[in-house]
Amino acid sequence: VQLQASGGGLVQAGGSLRLSCTASRRTASNNAVGWFRQSLGKEREFVASIGWKGATTYSDSLKGRFAISRDMNTVYLQMDTLKPEDTAVYYCAVSRSSVATSRLEYYAYWGQGTQVTVSS
């Protein structure tokens, strides 16, 4: 499975962005897909995940500002009220499981990442 993440960019604090993650194969629609992010000098952290039936799970600190959704083999991450601390490279990944999960070790396929920069 190959993943293509897009939609990143530069936005002012308080603004919004929508990231997209498109899988190369329809197979990914039977698996959970997650978004993670990594800031400079920090470990990769979980953002959100969506299972094949549409159930979702979010990082507690981001719930309410971020929303994950899926349509066929594309998964979206809507990010609102962005803050400078949201600046990071955002990665999408396909899980071995069909159930949404925050556990990084479940994710077998990773996209190349898309840069999100939020200016103050």
Side-chain angles (χ1 to χ4, degrees):
V1 177
Q2 291 184 334
L3 300 172
Q4 180 69 43
S6 61
L10 174 63
V11 64
Q12 289 188 332
S16 298
L17 282 174
R18 188 175 81 155
L19 306 183
S20 299
C21 175
T22 301
S24 60
R25 297 191 322 192
R26 184 67 186 276
T27 303
S29 66
N30 297 320
N31 298 72
V33 176
W35 284 97
F36 293 76
R37 67 184 186 183
Q38 188 166 19
S39 305
L40 195 62
K42 296 186 178 180
E43 292 187 352
R44 194 166 297 189
E45 67 169 334
F46 171 73
V47 175
S49 177
I50 186 165
W52 77 281
K53 290 185 176 180
T56 58
T57 186
Y58 293 91
S59 166
D60 287 341
S61 64
L62 300 175
K63 189 181 295 186
R65 294 195 300 119
F66 288 19
I68 189 170
S69 61
R70 68 191 303 167
D71 178 19
M72 301 296 281
N73 61 337
T74 298
V75 173
Y76 303 97
L77 183 68
Q78 178 67 39
M79 305 186 296
D80 298 321
T81 320
L82 284 162
K83 304 175 181 179
E85 51 264 42
D86 294 320
T87 295
V89 178
Y90 284 71
Y91 298 90
C92 62
V94 174
S95 173
R96 297 182 183 90
S97 170
S98 61
V99 178
T101 178
S102 62
R103 299 184 64 173
L104 188 147
E105 62 268 27
Y106 276 60
Y107 290 87
Y109 305 99
W110 291 82
Q112 84 288 359
T114 184
Q115 176 71 46
V116 171
T117 303
V118 184
S119 63
S120 57

